[in-house]
Amino acid sequence: MSKEEGIEEKVYTINLGRVVLAPDNRRAKRATNMIREFASRHMKSEEVRIDDKLNELIWRRGIRSPPRKIRVTISKDVSGVVTVKPYEYK
């Protein structure tokens, strides 16, 4: 967690295993919604934005088979907007 200029940032591994309970033609959409719900719950904010690279990572294998786990960096700025990005090792 870094506190520079009011930005709070955390790294999480999100388990998307429950995605398989959704119909197979809606799984990637459900995974996106699960990531949005996770970020909203953990960062205490209703406004969540998913980065384009993360969206491409979810949809890479099509709508029927999104990843089962995904590692993300979630950051919250001063105005309360939460941004979810794929984790990049530094």
Side-chain angles (χ1 to χ4, degrees):
M1 176 171 51
S2 68
K3 283 278 195 182
E4 50 188 73
E5 301 171 10
I7 296 176
E8 184 179 355
E9 192 172 50
K10 296 181 182 179
V11 176
Y12 291 99
T13 300
I14 302 175
N15 183 3
L16 300 174
R18 291 193 337 241
V19 163
V20 296
L21 299 177
D24 65 348
N25 63 343
R26 294 186 191 151
R27 288 181 181 165
K29 293 178 188 177
R30 178 66 183 130
T32 305
N33 287 337
M34 285 178 68
I35 292 170
R36 197 176 299 276
E37 291 166 3
F38 183 92
S40 176
R41 182 172 60 241
H42 285 269
M43 299 302 273
K44 310 281 192 280
S45 178
E46 292 298 317
E47 191 170 351
V48 178
R49 295 192 179 146
I50 295 179
D51 189 54
D52 290 339
K53 290 181 182 179
L54 180 61
N55 194 40
E56 289 174 8
L57 186 67
I58 294 168
W59 284 85
R60 182 177 295 156
R61 298 188 304 190
I63 197 168
R64 295 174 189 262
S65 56
R68 297 295 294 263
K69 290 182 182 177
I70 196 160
R71 193 150 174 90
V72 297
T73 303
I74 302 177
S75 59
K76 181 179 180 182
D77 63 2
V78 179
S79 61
V81 177
V82 176
T83 306
V84 186
K85 300 175 186 172
Y87 175 73
E88 296 175 2
Y89 181 74
K90 294 177 184 174

